[in-house]
Amino acid sequence: MCEEKKEWLREIGAAEFPEPVKYIYSFPEYRGAFNLSERYIDETPLEELKAQYLKNKAMAEDMVRSGTMTGGFHLNVVHP
């Protein structure tokens, strides 16, 4: 990537992911997404992935139900 693009990304406050995102999911009416890295998927037992998903779902549903979702899009990176 050219330096001009890197500079522009710094100027707008863009953050680089520490590793590639492999999967992304969201929930109905939730203005956000949960991003999963390939390493996280590979290194995390399935039961732990399922438990984290249920926690994220409960949090997202609570935010939608309570109306606390103000502003823009919420980005949630899930990793160890």
Side-chain angles (χ1 to χ4, degrees):
M1 177 182 333
C2 73
E3 284 303 314
E4 186 177 15
K5 286 181 183 177
K6 288 179 184 180
E7 179 60 31
W8 177 75
L9 289 168
R10 282 190 291 272
E11 287 174 10
I12 65 168
E16 184 176 349
F17 284 104
E19 53 192 72
V21 171
K22 186 74 173 184
Y23 297 94
I24 184 171
Y25 65 89
S26 190
F27 301 100
E29 300 180 47
Y30 178 68
R31 289 189 317 250
F34 295 85
N35 298 290
L36 306 169
S37 72
E38 187 170 17
R39 182 175 63 89
Y40 179 69
I41 293 292
D42 288 345
E43 294 179 359
T44 306
L46 180 57
E47 290 307 313
E48 191 175 328
L49 292 171
K50 289 179 178 181
Q52 184 64 55
Y53 173 85
L54 292 176
K55 287 180 188 177
N56 293 341
K57 182 178 181 183
M59 185 270 309
E61 289 173 345
D62 184 53
M63 289 180 75
V64 169
R65 185 175 37 258
S66 67
T68 58
M69 293 201 64
T70 58
F73 190 79
H74 297 264
L75 179 63
N76 306 282
V77 180
V78 180
H79 56 79

